[in-house]
Amino acid sequence: MKNLFTFALTVLASFTMMADVSFSDKAVLLKLYEATNGENWTTKWDLSSPVSTWYGIELDGDKVIAIRLANNNLMGEIPAEITNLVNLQELNLHKNSLSGTIPSALQNLKELKTLDLSFNKLAGVIPISICEMDSLQDLELYMNRISGELPAQIGKLQNLVTLVVFNNEIEGQIPSSLYEIKKLKTLLLNSNKLVGKLSPDVANLEMLENLSLFENNMVGQVPFGLENLSNLKEMNISYNMFSGLTSRRLAMLDTLNMTMLNDEGIAVLMNVSMEVERPVVSED
């Protein structure tokens, strides 16, 4: 009887090891492995072992909740099937050689909190569906070849804390809805092709700690309301075409002391108002 009980436990344990993830989730992971040249990853998966042992994979029960494959020599395109992992909370594919576009059906990933596709070779636009990811807190797409505009509805991401899309080819104006994201702490949009003015509504981002608009094509007056952002510790909005006056505090806060490009493309410092309490705005 004892031997029979031991045998039953062994069989049960073996079955559990084999069924440690749902069939559908495992199928998506296998598709990811195939689509991104898994045989040449820095740290490969042993496909004959349980999914729970695969590098960078975290499970909750039989569901995949995290994929962490940063700097792992992934090449190829992110398969569209990745959006079938509806329980996914983190997708980190930072610093690989991924090409193609960002999957479009991101609205399926309702539980996703972190999406890091930075430092790859991704092109195309940021899908509008990204605005339906209600749980998203950290969005990092920097150092890619992404073009088009920031989605107009991006303000729907009310849980967003970090938005980092620098060194891409993003154009157009900053959507007005972005200034409605009350939890935003880090906003790095530098080295793109943004145009238009920086809205005074930027002062609504009360939690903002780090703002970078460096090296874009933005114009107009720098909102003095930035001074009201008591949590703002780092700022670089230089190498735009902002004009008029700025305050001494903002000039000192800016990494390059408000160095702008004039109409001739020459780098010049913005004029600093001597009036601390009621700065006078230039008519330029």
Side-chain angles (χ1 to χ4, degrees), residues 148-195:
E149 301 185 4
L150 293 172
Q153 300 87 2
I154 198 166
K156 295 175 68 176
L157 299 176
Q158 286 295 303
N159 289 306
L160 200 63
V161 175
T162 301
L163 176 58
V164 184
V165 296
F166 64 81
N167 279 86
N168 278 289
E169 299 175 13
I170 305 295
E171 55 191 17
Q173 301 188 37
I174 297 176
S176 59
S177 70
L178 187 146
Y179 304 115
E180 300 170 4
I181 307 176
K182 301 297 185 182
K183 296 181 180 180
L184 199 61
K185 291 184 177 180
T186 300
L187 178 59
L188 307 182
L189 305 178
N190 49 289
S191 301
N192 279 291
K193 299 178 180 179
L194 294 171
V195 298

Side-chain angles (χ1 to χ4, degrees), residues 134-266:
D134 300 333
S135 300
L136 197 62
Q137 299 175 7
D138 183 6
L139 176 57
E140 303 192 32
L141 304 175
Y142 63 90
M143 298 292 289
N144 276 290
R145 301 167 183 172
I146 297 169
S147 57
E149 301 185 4
L150 293 172
Q153 300 87 2
I154 198 166
K156 295 175 68 176
L157 299 176
Q158 286 295 303
N159 289 306
L160 200 63
V161 175
T162 301
L163 176 58
V164 184
V165 296
F166 64 81
N167 279 86
N168 278 289
E169 299 175 13
I170 305 295
E171 55 191 17
Q173 301 188 37
I174 297 176
S176 59
S177 70
L178 187 146
Y179 304 115
E180 300 170 4
I181 307 176
K182 301 297 185 182
K183 296 181 180 180
L184 199 61
K185 291 184 177 180
T186 300
L187 178 59
L188 307 182
L189 305 178
N190 49 289
S191 301
N192 279 291
K193 299 178 180 179
L194 294 171
V195 298
K197 298 180 179 181
L198 179 59
S199 172
D201 291 339
V202 69
N204 295 335
L205 302 177
E206 297 177 356
M207 302 298 293
L208 199 63
E209 297 177 358
N210 191 349
L211 170 65
S212 183
L213 302 174
F214 169 78
E215 201 177 40
N216 279 288
N217 300 307
M218 300 185 71
V219 298
Q221 174 70 43
V222 175
F224 283 101
L226 284 170
E227 289 192 342
N228 299 326
L229 299 179
S230 58
N231 293 304
L232 192 61
K233 300 178 180 67
E234 298 181 51
M235 183 176 78
N236 190 351
I237 63 175
S238 290
Y239 281 82
N240 280 279
M241 298 180 70
F242 292 122
S243 58
L245 294 178
T246 190
S247 71
R248 181 176 297 278
R249 179 179 179 275
L250 290 180
M252 292 179 65
L253 182 62
D254 188 80
T255 305
L256 296 176
N257 302 123
M258 299 285 193
T259 302
M260 300 299 162
L261 297 177
N262 63 18
D263 293 339
E264 287 77 40
I266 299 173

